[in-house]
Amino acid sequence: MSATTVPEAVLPDGPTSPRVVQAVSFLMARDRTMHRLRERYGSAFTVESLNLGRMVMLADAAEVKQLFQAGPEEADTPDANLGAVLGPGSFFAITGDEHRKQRKLLTPPFHGRRLRAYESLIERETERETASWPEGRPFAVMPSTMRITLNVILQAVFGAEDAELDELRALLPHLVKLGSVLAVLPVLRRDLGGYGPGARFERHRRQYDAIVDRLIDRGNADPALAERDDVLAMLLQSRYDDGSAMSRSEVADQLLTLLAAGHETTATTLAWAVERLRRHPGVLRRLVAEGDAGGSELREATLIEVQRVRPVIEMTSRQVRAEHLRIGRWTMPRGTVVTACISLLHDDESIFPNPQVFDPDRFTGARADTSGWVPFGGGVRRCIGAAFATLEMNVVLRTLLRDFTLEPTSDPPERSHSRGVAVAPAKGGLAVVHRR
Ligand code: HEM
């Protein structure tokens, strides 16, 4: 055999029904379909998807770990993803070296001292939003958690205030919602002579770019720029290794990316926290007592467990860039999309015994193993906002439990509902509260 012989592909088995049937099944009930396929084929299977083509799905912890550890030259973000609508400077659109350079610039604002500076902002936004919560009757918390996480990102990331804050608050939810539909259904991007969703997206995007331009001008003219804590201020001062600064369009694309990736994910996880806690009054009581005493261990464990049982991003993918990629039992040729099935790993009973049981104590005390726990993905593409989201969810939950009594319920669990980017509780996390 010559050294250049390409090894034969070894892919897991999978359904043989027509591509469109498989794709529709995934579109309609992604999680149920994944569970059904695992039952039938085991911890790896191959499916056909509409926008990503043939896809290998991995639900074995060791194989997923190997996938996350693959270098960008072996496997990187798939061609078809949100990057197509967020812009060429978006994390989701860049690969290899360019991606590494951008991670280096954008990592510091999401860690350490910078991060702690956001705590009071998060608490303030939570208090502001919950001031108008009704008492004693059911309401969905998700619109509130969406507003809290939007307002926090607009200030902590965009450094927006006054007119720009109001304009972005009104514009961005539409822009991102439309963008996530266009990312999945590229055919809608076609410009129909100024009409249609594609043209509407372009109009919103131009408005967005104009607002970010104003924020950049204001930042560059701000004598106190160095003292500001927001991500934009930091990006304006940062330099690549060759001394050059990020371009305006790079800044605009990345801010939009941070919002698209960080707003709804955090808000839906918080809504699931409310949904789960109302159905687990024992945990809820202990959490309130712990918070009143100034503790945080159970709250942190609870948020880990909420993300285990209700991961809002159910899967994340790479595409093979090398001639082939070997992972565990499989050999996948260039172009194959390989997906880590987050929700399947999280209810694998060999990793989490009694996986259906909501039990935050799995993660208290002697710190249970979190190796199969991957709500933020892994490797060089692991969520850059993981520490930020963890802090934000912690502060929001702490503030809610400090200010309100959450009524338990015997209602059945809320079903999952896919919103495009994240999976949310179908009724938006219904709550009944009383002010404490
Ligand atoms: C509970 C909240 C969140 C969840 C569950 C979540 C989940 C994820 C997941 C699964 C990925 C893909 C990782 C991979 O493929 O290995 C990701 C990527 C990313 N997330 Fe998050 N995320 C959350 C919050 C945030 C926040 C708050 C931000 C920023 C403000 C953010 C920014 C990003 C970015 C920029 C990427 C792309 C990273 C890259 O490609 O290098 N996320 N996130």
Side-chain angles (χ1 to χ4, degrees):
M1 195 168 80
S2 87
T4 53
T5 306
V6 180
E8 216 177 294
V10 183
L11 302 182
D13 286 341
T16 50
S17 45
R19 168 182 286 207
V20 63
V21 173
Q22 294 187 41
V24 168
S25 163
F26 248 85
L27 214 61
M28 305 301 288
R30 199 156 46 190
D31 201 44
R32 204 152 8 108
T33 306
M34 281 202 292
H35 278 82
R36 197 166 42 73
L37 293 174
R38 176 168 68 178
E39 251 166 56
R40 172 118 193 244
Y41 299 101
S43 65
F45 40 89
T46 304
V47 298
E48 296 286 345
S49 79
L50 274 187
N51 55 341
L52 295 173
R54 180 186 284 175
M55 190 153 70
V56 170
M57 313 283 289
L58 301 179
D60 171 274
E63 290 178 353
V64 167
K65 191 169 174 194
Q66 242 184 300
L67 176 66
F68 285 153
Q69 283 173 347
E73 66 295 337
E74 294 178 290
D76 209 335
T77 191
D79 294 331
N81 68 21
L82 271 177
V85 292
L86 293 170
S90 161
F91 267 125
F92 295 111
I94 54 180
T95 55
D97 242 20
E98 210 186 328
H99 175 253
R100 192 188 47 76
K101 273 168 45 186
Q102 287 277 314
R103 286 284 297 212
K104 213 168 153 194
L105 279 198
L106 272 130
T107 296
F110 290 106
H111 288 89
R113 186 189 63 75
R114 291 271 171 182
L115 199 56
R116 282 192 296 279
Y118 303 137
E119 194 170 331
S120 53
L121 164 69
I122 298 166
E123 186 172 309
R124 202 166 58 240
E125 285 303 328
T126 309
E127 288 166 346
R128 204 153 70 95
E129 175 60 35
T130 56
S132 56
W133 271 11
E135 289 189 64
R137 65 175 171 82
F139 67 99
V141 292
M142 226 173 84
S144 279
T145 56
M146 291 287 280
R147 277 191 292 271
I148 294 169
T149 61
L150 178 64
N151 285 329
V152 167
I153 290 196
L154 289 181
Q155 294 166 82
V157 174
F158 287 72
E161 38 183 40
D162 309 327
E164 284 82 13
L165 180 59
D166 290 337
E167 287 172 46
L168 287 170
R169 207 166 10 217
L171 176 68
L172 282 172
H174 298 297
L175 183 67
V176 171
K177 181 99 210 142
L178 203 52
S180 55
V181 174
L182 296 181
V184 186
L185 297 169
V187 62
L188 297 179
R189 252 179 262 156
R190 224 174 289 150
D191 188 341
L192 306 168
Y195 294 96
R200 203 159 64 243
F201 181 81
E202 289 307 323
R203 275 196 301 277
H204 285 338
R205 174 70 206 222
R206 280 195 294 275
Q207 260 177 289
Y208 165 79
D209 286 336
I211 303 170
V212 171
D213 255 347
R214 268 158 39 210
L215 288 174
I216 293 176
D217 288 340
R218 190 175 297 173
N220 284 334
D222 187 350
L225 188 66
E227 278 96 65
R228 273 172 43 178
D229 285 314
D230 54 274
V231 175
L232 172 63
M234 215 180 145
L235 292 185
L236 293 178
Q237 299 167 80
S238 61
R239 295 290 177 269
Y240 293 114
D241 288 344
D242 68 2
S244 63
M246 275 175 90
S247 70
R248 278 176 180 252
S249 70
E250 277 175 333
V251 170
D253 289 356
Q254 286 296 39
L255 293 184
L256 188 59
T257 300
L258 293 170
L259 181 109
H263 160 43
E264 189 171 313
T265 42
T266 313
T268 45
T269 307
L270 280 165
W272 278 121
V274 168
E275 191 274 348
R276 288 291 77 202
L277 286 175
R278 289 192 70 209
R279 286 158 181 84
H280 295 84
V283 178
L284 184 54
R285 255 193 317 275
R286 284 173 56 209
L287 271 182
V288 173
E290 180 194 69
D292 289 352
S296 65
E297 188 193 13
L298 182 63
R299 192 168 58 246
E300 283 160 21
T302 298
L303 288 165
I304 296 176
E305 179 68 344
V306 167
Q307 289 182 278
R308 184 188 72 78
V309 292
R310 297 291 186 273
V312 297
I313 304 291
E314 294 169 321
M315 54 176 82
T316 185
S317 302
R318 307 283 186 267
Q319 190 158 17
V320 179
R321 302 288 171 194
E323 203 159 58
H324 69 273
L325 175 68
R326 278 210 174 97
I327 286 193
R329 304 159 277 174
W330 320 113
T331 303
M332 296 161 289
R334 195 195 312 275
T336 313
V337 172
V338 193
T339 294
C341 302
I342 297 172
S343 57
L344 290 185
L345 278 186
H346 285 190
D347 70 2
D348 180 338
E349 59 186 349
S350 69
I351 311 174
F352 303 106
N354 299 321
Q356 300 308 324
V357 177
F358 177 75
D359 176 16
D361 285 307
R362 294 173 198 275
F363 300 111
T364 55
R367 286 281 143 183
D369 186 10
T370 51
S371 56
W373 182 84
V374 286
F376 295 113
V380 293
R381 291 249 169 209
R382 184 175 191 268
C383 176
I384 202 169
F388 182 89
T390 303
L391 172 82
E392 181 167 11
M393 295 188 294
N394 193 322
V395 175
V396 172
L397 186 59
R398 183 184 76 197
T399 311
L400 293 186
L401 297 179
R402 184 197 66 196
D403 295 349
F404 294 92
T405 302
L406 189 57
E407 264 189 29
T409 179
S410 53
D411 287 350
E414 287 189 36
R415 297 163 73 98
S416 295
H417 160 74
S418 174
R419 289 175 49 96
V421 176
V423 178
K427 295 181 179 168
L430 282 188
V432 177
V433 300
H434 299 277
R435 196 161 279 283
R436 288 182 79 191

